[in-house]
């Protein structure tokens, strides 16, 4: 039987592409997209859409009852950089929404939950290279604290109440359809937009700041795969390490220069540098690969080629292109 899905935070960077993918897989009538406002017309106008406030239990419950939802993807969150500006708001949104969804699942209304975690669960005392699944986790950002605490609660609800919750520690996600918002890894998306529109980019991280990254298609594949896997295969009920590649701003710039030789890169690190410096440089995701067969497909050069191609189409008219 097909799942009846609610996506909370469907207008965001990952939520939007997840919505398109799940509609394709299960049919539009089985996938309800929702967000706090109509902020992504590509999502709103192409299937069922409801306004849902992730901080409100009743707002989520009304939608769950209306459509007899049995599966929730909770994609709403305040990310690392914005979270440092509004710590209490980040705490409230990220934690309240998770509790609402876990409690719906505990009372058996919801059968399966996806909740994203992040590399932000790690901190300055974590081993920085090939960070293991199980290691020291002392996050220094509010976002990281909410994700780490959230992971503990997911595992607790699984052990104590049998809630089928599944989670991935996403690295920075690169995509061209919807902009990310408020993250520390966002430079790796902005750089491609600026390369196409301005031919130059001033990066808010320093040139050798290496961070784990992934192309959106791989992130969506991982999300779908972990949710489709048999419950017995999911051995980690906090959250799985998930990796594809790691690179620095300088290395992305070099791949762009292979296609746009005049592209100019400059660096002006801001408060986000300290956040990036507290995170791992690379991730060991052996457990995800062994337990449910995760593997990635896109490498940096593939991403650069695809991002520049898609964004060039998006920004430049066909008339201009053919000249
Ligand atoms: N992309 C996120 C951020 O930068 C990390 O999960 O906040």
């Amino acid at each position: 039987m097909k799942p009846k899905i609610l996506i909370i935070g469907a207008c965001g960077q990952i939520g939007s592409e997840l919505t398109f993918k799940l509609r394709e897989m299960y049919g539009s009538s089985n996938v309800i997209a929702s967000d706090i406002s109509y902020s992504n017309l590509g999502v709103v106008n192409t299937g069922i859409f409801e306004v849902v406030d992730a901080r409100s239990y009743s707002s989520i419950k009304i939608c769950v009852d209306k459509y007899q939802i049995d599966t929730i993807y909770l994609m709403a969150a305040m990310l690392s950089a914005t979270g440092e500006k509004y710590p209490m708001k980040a705490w409230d949104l990220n934690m309240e929404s998770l509790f609402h969804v876990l409690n719906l699942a505990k009372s058996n209304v919801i059968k399966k939950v996806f909740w994203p975690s992040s590399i932000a669960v790690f901190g300055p005392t974590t081993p920085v290279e090939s960070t293991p699944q199980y290691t020291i986790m002392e996050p220094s950002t509010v976002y990281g604290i909410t994700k780490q605490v959230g992971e503990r609660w997911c595992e607790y609800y699984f052990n104590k109440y049998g809630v089928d919750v599944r989670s991935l520690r996403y690295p920075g996600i690169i995509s061209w359809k919807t902009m990310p918002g408020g993250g520390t890894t966002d430079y790796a998306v902005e750089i491609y937009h600026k390369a196409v529109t301005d031919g130059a980019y001033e990066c808010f991280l320093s040139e050798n700041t290496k961070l784990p990254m992934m192309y959106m298609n791989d992130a969506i594949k991982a999300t779908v795969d972990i949710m489709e896997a048999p419950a017995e295969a999911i051995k980690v009920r906090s959250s799985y390490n998930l990796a594809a590649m790691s690179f620095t701003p300088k290395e992305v710039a070099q791949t762009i220069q292979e296609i746009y030789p005049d592209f100019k890169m400059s660096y002006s690190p801001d408060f986000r540098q300290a956040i990036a410096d507290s995170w791992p440089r690379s991730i060991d995701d052996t457990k995800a690969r062994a337990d449910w067969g995760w593997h990635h497909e896109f490498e940096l050069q593939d991403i650069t080629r695809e991002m520049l191609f898609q964004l060039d189409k998006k920004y430049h008219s066909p008339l201009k292109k053919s000249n």
Side-chain angles (χ1 to χ4, degrees):
M1 215 179 75
K2 285 183 180 166
K4 198 83 183 178
I5 295 172
L6 172 63
I7 302 161
I8 302 173
C11 289
Q13 186 200 14
I14 305 175
S16 58
E17 300 215 24
L18 190 59
T19 301
F20 301 138
K21 181 67 186 177
L22 295 177
R23 282 177 182 161
E24 188 188 299
M25 287 175 66
Y26 303 117
S28 280
S29 60
N30 291 313
V31 179
I32 316 308
S34 76
D35 212 303
I36 185 79
S37 66
Y38 299 90
S39 55
N40 186 329
L41 293 181
V43 169
V44 173
N45 292 335
T46 51
I48 306 171
F49 182 85
E50 293 279 344
V51 171
V52 168
D53 180 354
R55 290 163 307 181
S56 157
Y57 181 82
S58 59
S59 176
I60 300 172
K61 179 77 165 50
I62 288 167
C63 193
V64 163
D65 289 345
K66 180 172 173 187
Y67 294 98
Q68 300 187 321
I69 299 294
D70 56 41
T71 302
I72 294 184
Y73 291 74
L74 174 54
M75 309 309 287
M78 192 180 286
L79 297 190
S80 60
T82 312
E84 292 310 287
K85 291 185 185 153
Y86 309 104
M88 288 321 296
K89 276 192 186 160
W91 174 261
D92 289 346
L93 170 62
N94 296 2
M95 296 315 301
E96 282 173 15
S97 57
L98 177 60
F99 277 119
H100 296 333
V101 171
L102 288 178
N103 285 329
L104 279 167
K106 178 185 161 188
S107 62
N108 237 352
V109 175
I110 297 299
K111 306 288 179 221
K112 218 192 255 187
V113 173
F114 179 79
W115 177 77
S117 186
S118 158
I119 54 166
V121 292
F122 301 114
T125 51
T126 303
V128 287
E129 293 289 357
S130 285
T131 300
Q133 174 71 40
Y134 301 109
T135 185
I136 302 168
M137 294 161 81
E138 297 185 314
S140 53
T141 62
V142 176
Y143 174 64
I145 293 169
T146 65
K147 290 296 177 188
Q148 194 202 22
V149 174
E151 286 190 9
R152 298 287 86 226
W153 278 109
C154 287
E155 193 184 88
Y156 184 87
Y157 269 67
F158 172 75
N159 286 332
K160 195 96 178 175
Y161 310 118
V163 168
D164 189 356
V165 52
R166 304 171 182 209
S167 177
L168 299 169
R169 291 174 181 153
Y170 288 135
I173 308 292
I174 302 163
S175 65
W176 56 269
K177 284 188 191 152
T178 305
M179 285 299 268
T184 301
T185 55
D186 294 7
Y187 91 83
V189 176
E190 286 172 15
I191 188 171
Y192 292 109
H193 285 259
K194 290 288 178 190
V196 169
T197 56
D198 300 4
Y201 179 61
E202 187 178 271
C203 185
F204 58 75
L205 297 182
S206 64
E207 61 183 340
N208 293 322
T209 308
K210 190 166 147 200
L211 286 170
M213 298 279 184
M214 180 178 288
Y215 195 46
M216 179 63 85
N217 299 35
D218 278 333
I220 298 296
K221 180 163 75 77
T223 310
V224 165
D225 286 355
I226 194 175
M227 286 298 271
E228 289 273 292
E232 344 44 281
I234 311 300
K235 307 247 167 53
V236 175
R237 291 294 182 156
S238 50
S239 191
Y240 276 96
N241 274 9
L242 188 75
M245 76 207 78
S246 290
F247 56 71
T248 65
K250 189 174 169 185
E251 286 164 346
V252 198
Q254 281 164 351
T255 63
I256 293 174
Q257 280 155 350
E258 281 167 22
I259 298 170
Y260 291 3
D262 296 333
F263 174 67
K264 299 262 178 309
M265 182 82 161
S266 57
Y267 301 90
S268 177
D270 66 15
F271 73 100
R272 288 168 281 193
Q273 184 66 45
I275 301 177
D277 288 343
S278 78
W279 287 350
R281 289 161 64 84
S282 60
I283 297 286
D284 177 351
D285 63 353
T286 314
K287 197 110 185 68
R289 289 178 193 257
D291 287 0
W292 45 275
W294 156 246
H295 64 276
H296 73 280
E297 281 169 12
F298 291 82
E299 300 295 346
L300 176 57
Q301 297 212 330
D302 309 316
I303 297 174
T304 296
R305 222 175 302 120
E306 185 66 7
M307 288 293 287
L308 294 177
F309 174 73
Q310 296 293 351
L311 291 172
D312 182 58
K313 271 207 295 196
K314 189 166 170 167
Y315 285 111
H316 301 126
S317 71
L319 191 64
K320 194 167 173 197
K321 268 192 80 181
S322 62
N323 283 343

